[in-house]
Amino acid sequence: MASSYDSYTQNRELSWLQFNKRVLDEACDDSVPLYERLKFISIFTSNLDEFFMVRVGSLTDLALVAPTAMDNKSHLTPQEQLDLVYDAVRPLIQQRDAVYAQVMASLAERGVVERRCADLTDEESEHMDQLFETAIRPFLSPVVVDPRHPFPHLENKKLYIAVLLCDAETCRLGLVGIPSQVPAFVPLPSSAGFVRIEQIVLAKVGALYNEREIVDCCIMAVTRNADLTEDEEKFDDEDLDYRKFMSQLLRKRNRLNPVRLEIQGNACNDLRDMVLDRLGLGVEQTYVCQTPLVLDSVYSLEGRIPADMRAELCYVPFSPRSSAVFSKDRSITEQIKESDKMLFFPYDSIDPFLTLLKESASDPAVVSIKITLYRLASNSRIASILCDAAENGKEVTVLVELRARFDEKNNIGWSERLEEAGCCILYGPDSYKCHSKVCLITRMEEGRAVQITQVGTGNYNEKTSKIYSDLSFFTADPAIGWDAVAFFQNMLVGNLQGQYHKMLVAPSNMHQKLCELIEQQTKLGSQGSISIKCNSLTERSVIDALVRASRAGVRIRMNIRGICCLRPGIPRVTANISVRSVVGRFLEHARIYCFGQGQQARVYIGSADLMTRNLRRRVEVLVPILDEQVKAGLQEYLELIFADTLKARLLQPDGSYVPVLPSAGSSTAEGVAVSAAASPQGFSVQAWCMDHPLLCPAVPEQERQEGQGLGQEASPGHDSDVAWGQSQGAACALGPGDAEGLGQDGMADRGGKGGLLRVIRRLLGLRG
């Protein structure tokens, strides 16, 4: 029985594994195109790799240095958490094996065939033998571990063939690294079939160890702790080159301690134990599977899909539309000065922001551009424009966060290029990652400074703007502008406790202000309302504040894509809290915080999740949405995401998630009765947003006609960068029992047009 200590909270790591299971569930969804299901398996795998490298790596370290430390939400020690994680991962690996086999079998029926060497024809085997001798074998370096040849360093997530070699006297361990110089798979001539490079080396390993008997062999990979924690004392040295130090730190990542051994196939215990002994790992840290251990190559398989099969196997191509909030024929700057604007990625194009930067880079009235950069695209147009601005004589200040995990190398390279172009480069404050997304453009007009401020929920990254659901807010509000001025001035001098009038900034005032906003709603009791969309909730004090609000009768709705350490629906405790998660084609990444209802609501967007690290150990910014039209658009969007029944999952009191299914006998937009059991289709917020611009002024009535575009396929186009999930069109099949969260509160009627809510309610078959 749960104690009062953790009666309404759950462990962070186990909650994250539930999130990754929801990713894997997309791969299990028969309504998702086959090739997109394969991508979801790859995403699940890379997510799990990073989880072991970072979270399991951190817990492993903590178990050594603070073995009795307890998590404040589950009251578990580091080792207890690790034991639960090890056990929780095993059924996920089994589920992945099953769905991978199913997907590959279905793809094989359509001409995309993954072959094993043993199944090749004589002609194909001859081709593979020749290729092995000429293009693979020259890159192989087989090793036998013995007194003269010590156990080599095994690189993080690199594939190896492990071999048990025996002769009359002894058994030895052999290792062959799979070379990175050759492609991940080899296409077979005259077919859409392919063979993975590790399978070729596995089949030919006998040719590399011809003097010993091979008793057993398998494909394996080691996962290493990648949680690089910089030595804070080093930052007290004024002569330290921080960029050089981070470069040196990165080189340590591949040599950190192992935390997991993966084996593909069925290795005998002797071979497995020999490897584990050398790595210092236990059996509980070993995972045996049938799925390939590295699946990054699935994205390159698209070229192997027959042209006549792509419409069936892939999602309909989608390209971001030109935003309706900006006119292409007028200056972006002037339009922002007239009224606040909002872009909604990936549905809107990032082009207006790029145009704003281009205008500012050459506008004589612009004095300076200041921006925070966390994750840049490898070929960043944003960074190139900043370089142009500096070369044009603008004062360009760029706060680059070199500690953005797994993007450190890219950020180091861009910081060097920006500095060479004349930009003033600074790095995140000691011990605090700068995760905020703020851009400040200062103009001189009629002898006074005028600010254009942009605040976003996602990175300044052209690639992710096409696959992440994010918001980008633009304003010429003087109060917000002066807060942005103070923000950059504080960052330049390392002041983390600056004073701000409108913006919420961590670690200065954000945590306190958010708790105060929750408390204000708590005082309203059943008249209070809180709607939150974010990626994770782990901060204990915020969880406790939400529980107090729930006990007071406040209605709390949260869409939390990833970790949620709060357990909703517990009688008399969290009964007034509902939590859902949407996982679909696009990665839900926007953070929206809405306190109250209607025009009186206080709405914020920005970079911060409700995590301890965001509120206490990072530099984050939330900006208030003061423009009534933009605010109404965000409130409409919240209603839509809480109405999703196709991709949403509901968090249960026990920490599990269940699908949101339409009620039996509910009606589609055309009024046709549909049985939920007979049709898995429902309402998808992502499908809706692909066809309906939300955050724009006075949308014509015809764009809001009942059912128009709902669940229809996206407009033609091609985006080769899209890697997150898939897009499912769906007819609306909601019934009254599934309309949780829909109501007139918080919805604005735009210009007498009737508002989006009325359309939704008609689609749902509701009155009023």
Side-chain angles (χ1 to χ4, degrees), residues 325-342:
V325 305
F326 286 107
S327 169
K328 293 182 178 180
D329 302 325
R330 299 177 56 219
S331 161
I332 299 294
T333 301
E334 293 304 315
Q335 293 179 68
I336 295 171
K337 288 165 66 177
E338 292 172 359
S339 65
D340 294 351
K341 300 288 191 292
M342 183 83 80

Side-chain angles (χ1 to χ4, degrees), residues 11-18 51 55-56 59 81 85 563 565:
N11 180 259
R12 165 187 171 148
E13 319 307 340
L14 299 181
S15 179
W16 185 91
L17 289 172
Q18 283 285 329
F51 174 76
R55 295 304 306 169
V56 173
L59 283 173
Q81 294 179 68
V85 165
I563 304 166
C565 292

Side-chain angles (χ1 to χ4, degrees), residues 220-460:
M220 54 162 276
V222 175
T223 307
R224 292 186 176 275
N225 183 348
D227 188 31
L228 294 174
T229 303
E230 61 274 10
D231 185 349
E232 297 175 10
E233 293 181 1
K234 293 183 179 180
F235 299 132
D236 294 332
D237 184 353
E238 295 180 358
D239 296 327
L240 174 68
D241 184 335
Y242 186 44
R243 188 160 55 208
K244 181 179 179 181
F245 171 69
M246 284 302 300
S247 297
Q248 294 171 345
L249 202 61
L250 282 179
R251 288 195 286 271
K252 292 173 56 180
R253 177 168 280 158
N254 281 332
R255 304 196 67 87
L256 293 176
N257 290 333
V259 294
R260 176 181 61 164
L261 173 66
E262 294 176 283
I263 295 174
Q264 182 185 359
N266 298 308
C268 68
N269 289 345
D270 289 343
L271 176 57
R272 180 201 65 188
D273 293 345
M274 195 174 289
V275 175
L276 289 176
D277 181 64
R278 295 287 184 170
L279 294 172
L281 294 175
V283 175
E284 72 280 0
Q285 295 168 284
T286 306
Y287 295 90
V288 179
C289 65
Q290 305 305 316
T291 303
L293 303 182
V294 176
L295 288 171
D296 298 345
S297 60
V298 302
Y299 298 102
S300 58
L301 281 178
E302 187 168 2
R304 306 292 299 169
I305 298 176
D308 60 344
M309 300 295 296
R310 292 193 179 188
E312 175 190 352
L313 300 182
C314 304
Y315 52 77
V316 177
F318 173 75
S319 294
R321 57 177 165 257
S322 297
S323 172
V325 305
F326 286 107
S327 169
K328 293 182 178 180
D329 302 325
R330 299 177 56 219
S331 161
I332 299 294
T333 301
E334 293 304 315
Q335 293 179 68
I336 295 171
K337 288 165 66 177
E338 292 172 359
S339 65
D340 294 351
K341 300 288 191 292
M342 183 83 80
L343 293 178
F344 188 14
F345 306 138
Y347 314 107
D348 294 334
S349 169
I350 196 175
D351 286 348
F353 177 67
L354 297 176
T355 302
L356 173 65
L357 289 180
K358 289 178 183 177
E359 288 179 4
S360 302
S362 58
D363 189 339
V366 171
V367 176
S368 67
I369 302 173
K370 296 180 173 66
I371 192 170
T372 61
L373 297 180
Y374 193 76
R375 296 189 194 275
L376 283 166
S378 56
N379 297 308
S380 174
R381 287 179 289 166
I382 292 170
S384 297
I385 297 170
L386 294 173
C387 291
D388 292 341
E391 291 167 354
N392 289 341
K394 308 301 181 187
E395 177 195 330
V396 180
T397 301
V398 184
L399 196 166
V400 182
E401 183 47 76
L402 297 186
R403 294 163 293 183
R405 186 176 288 120
F406 304 120
D407 276 313
E408 298 98 336
K409 184 176 180 179
N410 186 52
N411 286 5
I412 289 170
W414 272 116
S415 69
E416 292 172 345
R417 279 177 274 180
L418 289 162
E419 192 170 54
E420 290 171 359
C423 300
C424 173
I425 303 296
L426 63 148
Y427 307 117
D430 296 357
S431 306
Y432 290 82
K433 285 186 181 181
C434 185
H435 186 250
S436 55
K437 320 325 180 177
V438 184
C439 179
L440 172 66
I441 298 169
T442 301
R443 305 168 54 83
M444 185 61 71
E445 297 181 359
E446 299 179 354
R448 65 185 183 89
V450 175
Q451 290 84 28
I452 301 294
T453 308
Q454 183 274 340
V455 177
T457 65
N459 296 301
Y460 295 109

Side-chain angles (χ1 to χ4, degrees), residues 493-551:
V493 299
N495 178 17
L496 296 174
Q497 300 300 325
Q499 300 298 310
Y500 303 95
H501 299 287
K502 296 291 185 180
M503 297 195 312
L504 307 187
V505 179
S508 175
N509 66 351
M510 183 182 293
H511 183 205
Q512 176 187 346
K513 292 292 186 181
L514 286 174
C515 289
E516 289 176 358
L517 288 164
I518 296 171
E519 179 61 26
Q520 289 171 10
Q521 295 303 308
T522 302
K523 292 178 179 178
L524 296 176
S526 61
Q527 299 303 307
S529 175
I530 299 172
S531 296
I532 293 172
K533 180 186 184 297
C534 66
N535 299 328
S536 296
L537 168 60
T538 68
E539 168 56 35
R540 180 73 198 218
S541 62
V542 173
I543 292 173
D544 291 342
L546 290 169
V547 169
R548 288 193 295 271
S550 172
R551 283 172 165 158

Side-chain angles (χ1 to χ4, degrees), residues 583-598:
V583 175
R585 172 175 182 170
F586 304 119
L587 181 72
E588 292 294 334
H589 196 249
R591 291 91 166 183
I592 307 171
Y593 300 94
C594 180
F595 303 92
Q597 306 175 40

